[in-house]
Each structure stands twice: as structure tokens, then as C-alpha cells.
Amino acid sequence: MNQILGECVGMTRHPARIPSDFKIRVAVLTVSDRASEGTYEDQSGPAVESGVIKYASESGNAVHVIAKKIVPDDESSISEAIRAWADMKDDDAPTMILTTGGTGFAKRDVTPEATKKVLDKMATALAACITLEATRFEPFSLLSRAVAGSRKRTLVFNLPGRPKAVKENLAIAMPKLAQAAYHVSKGV
């Protein structure tokens, strides 16, 4: 396991190797019954946006949040949001969709199932590597059921729902996700 973790960590230390003119367009999907009903202020979506902006300033990569949405913990609502964004015309579609919430074991946690339904290709090693690295901050991150993959020319990745966990995961994940988004969007 240390060797696998070492490889994942090694990838984090190396910046994404993407052309300077490549623009990462991010859509943020918050999955939360309470936030979608307005009984709870969404904190996870803003944490995703903050993490993406931080990565952009530190890496020099052009990253822009182009869309945000809050949906309930409902498979069809989650799948439809991902599908609608990924199926947009190439110049309008996000290159990356980051979901937050619904990756645990509660009865209403269905984000991975909803995501899998609309993906063309899975990127299981990407999700596993990020989850494994996250154990440095939170040992119970191994209980995450997050998935990663692509639909058309868009990378999709599930993040946890707690704002602290979102920040920790994005710090680990963004160099990998940026590289993956480039490969997916360009068909490389």
C-alpha cells in the first residue's frame, strides 16, 4: 500500500502538464436535500469553488467556474444535471463537473450510482488514488464511494459533502483532475 500511496503522492507533486492555452471550465453540483430545499445554506459548493480558484492561482492554469447548481439527493436529479452539462455543445460544455455530497452510506447517498448511470467511461484508479491520499488527512475517507469518469468530453468527479473534506480532497485532486480533464476534453 505504501508503494501505491507513494505513486499517488508523487503525481501530486508534479504539476499538470497541459498547454497554457487550455481552459478548464468547471461546473459544481451540490447534492443535498436540505440545501436544495433552502433549509440549509450550501457550504460545500462554495468550498469547491474556493478550492478550484486556489488551484488556478497556485498552478497558473486557467480555471473558471462556469455553472453551479444544487439538487436533492435523488438519482434522477443528479444524473440529469450531469447529463445536461456534459451534453452541451463542446465550446459551452464544462471540461470538468465536480459533485459534492452523497458519497457516504446513508440511505439517501446516491451520487455515485447516479454518476455511474451517465458515464461513458470509468476512471476507477483516479478515484481510488485520490481517496487513498485523502487518508493522510482523514482515515475514514476510505469509506468514500466516490467515482470518477467521463461523459463525452467532460470529466466527472465526486467529492465528499463536508466543506473541510472538500478542501482537503481538492488540494490533492486538482493536479490529477486538471490533467485528466485535458485528456478527456481533447480525446487524448
Side-chain angles (χ1 to χ4, degrees):
M1 183 156 124
N2 283 341
Q3 183 178 4
I4 294 170
L5 183 57
E7 292 299 317
C8 290
V9 172
M11 188 175 175
T12 301
R13 284 191 287 257
H14 299 289
R17 294 187 181 111
I18 56 178
S20 59
D21 65 340
F22 179 68
K23 293 172 180 50
I24 302 170
R25 297 179 310 279
V26 179
V28 179
L29 182 65
T30 300
V31 179
S32 168
D33 285 332
R34 293 183 304 149
S36 70
E37 294 166 353
T39 58
Y40 170 83
E41 183 181 344
D42 177 27
Q43 296 175 4
S44 300
V48 172
E49 190 169 3
S50 173
V52 165
I53 291 168
K54 181 178 180 189
Y55 169 76
S57 72
E58 291 174 354
S59 69
N61 294 115
V63 185
H64 306 281
V65 175
I66 62 165
K68 299 180 264 189
K69 187 173 185 172
I70 302 172
V71 297
D73 291 279
D74 170 71
E75 277 190 58
S76 62
S77 297
I78 300 163
S79 294
E80 180 51 38
I82 294 169
R83 185 183 301 111
W85 279 334
D87 291 357
M88 295 170 78
K89 290 187 291 182
D90 282 341
D91 291 342
D92 297 330
T95 52
M96 183 186 305
I97 297 171
L98 298 174
T99 71
T100 176
T103 61
F105 286 96
K107 185 177 182 179
R108 299 272 302 157
D109 287 341
V110 295
T111 303
E113 290 78 12
T115 302
K116 287 178 192 176
K117 283 183 179 180
V118 296
L119 293 180
D120 298 325
K121 295 183 179 182
M122 296 287 294
T124 52
L126 180 62
C129 180
I130 293 165
T131 299
L132 189 58
E133 277 191 66
T135 62
R136 292 183 300 155
F137 303 109
E138 172 56 66
F140 291 114
S141 65
L142 285 175
L143 298 177
S144 171
R145 298 181 311 107
V147 299
S150 64
R151 178 174 177 89
K152 297 192 176 180
R153 297 280 185 221
T154 301
L155 176 73
V156 182
F157 185 72
N158 301 151
L159 289 161
R162 286 186 9 255
K164 179 180 181 289
V166 166
K167 290 176 187 175
E168 292 168 350
N169 276 258
L170 277 178
I172 294 164
M174 276 310 294
K176 298 168 187 63
L177 296 177
Q179 190 70 50
Y182 173 72
H183 285 271
V184 169
S185 71
K186 298 301 180 190
V188 178

